[in-house]
Amino acid sequence: MTVNLAKGQRINLSKSDGGELSAVRMGLGWQAAPRKGLLARLTAKEIDLDASAVLFAGREAVDVVFFQHLTSDDGSVRHTGDNLVGGTGQGGDDESILIDLQRVPVHVDQILFTVNSFTGQTFAEVQNAFCRLIDETNGQELARYTLSGGGPYTAQIMAKVHREGGTGGAWQMSAIGAPATGRTFQDLLPVLSSHL
């Protein structure tokens, strides 16, 4: 059963049988919002959203996974590849990041997920955008966070997985849903610390 996350809501990432999750996938999907008017077809432009995962040890960013660095240095986090146009929307994922929770180094206590409009369009030009967390071992969707209402910003700090009580604790997920501005995860680094 999927939990539809509200901004700021947290869920514990444990299986219904009481076991710990071992591998999860963060999926991102979106569609370009339909344009209106006579020139709509002529002015239509593809929208390239990019999913990134920034790994933190304490308050320090120690690694990142994004379209130009598809695997974390330790191999525990892996991006499946860049989608330049989206289009899946409510269906499957346009971009995915796989996290092997058992392989994440013990000093990494938080992983923040960001979405950026690399082509610079605002989220007002995107529809059916979502971020979801899937149990990679059985394909069950655990949680979904929907980007609602668009807006005049070009990035979103979507969610984070973090160890409960810090180093070595059980993993939890928190929906953040904070709008931001930036074409890449690097543009967001100054504001990410406020969500740790």
Side-chain angles (χ1 to χ4, degrees):
M1 183 173 114
T2 299
V3 174
N4 285 312
L5 289 171
K7 184 176 176 176
Q9 183 180 357
R10 293 180 180 211
I11 62 165
N12 195 318
L13 298 182
S14 55
K15 293 189 173 199
S16 55
D17 63 9
E20 296 272 326
L21 286 172
S22 58
V24 295
R25 175 168 35 103
M26 181 66 67
L28 167 68
W30 75 93
Q31 294 173 325
R35 294 177 180 258
K36 297 180 171 88
L38 186 60
L39 300 176
R41 284 187 155 192
L42 298 175
T43 61
K45 188 175 168 187
E46 300 294 348
I47 296 177
D48 178 10
L49 296 186
D50 289 323
S52 302
V54 185
L55 289 69
F56 283 87
R59 300 192 66 77
E60 181 183 348
V62 294
D63 202 352
V64 66
V65 173
F66 71 115
F67 69 90
Q68 290 183 329
H69 185 244
L70 294 176
T71 304
S72 61
D73 293 339
D74 57 60
S76 66
V77 182
R78 187 172 52 87
H79 196 300
T80 59
D82 194 15
N83 180 322
L84 302 177
V85 297
T88 299
Q90 295 291 356
D93 304 324
D94 294 313
E95 291 194 12
S96 294
I97 297 175
L98 304 165
I99 306 106
D100 184 339
L101 295 170
Q102 296 177 327
R103 287 184 58 200
V104 174
V106 70
H107 69 282
V108 173
D109 56 0
Q110 298 186 71
I111 302 172
L112 270 71
F113 296 95
T114 65
V115 178
N116 298 79
S117 174
F118 188 74
T119 43
Q121 293 99 329
T122 68
F123 279 85
E125 298 175 72
V126 177
Q127 71 178 8
N128 297 331
F130 65 85
C131 171
R132 65 189 191 130
L133 192 73
I134 299 105
D135 180 345
E136 191 61 14
T137 60
N138 63 15
Q140 178 186 0
E141 183 175 290
L142 303 169
R144 177 179 287 259
Y145 180 71
T146 303
L147 274 166
S148 57
Y153 45 89
T154 57
Q156 180 96 1
I157 301 164
M158 294 291 284
K160 69 178 177 178
V161 292
H162 50 100
R163 297 184 197 265
E164 185 178 30
T167 304
W171 289 98
Q172 292 190 339
M173 178 184 177
S174 296
I176 297 172
T181 302
R183 292 180 58 237
T184 67
F185 79 90
Q186 292 100 325
D187 298 333
L188 302 182
L189 286 174
V191 297
L192 286 181
S193 61
S194 65
H195 300 284
L196 296 174

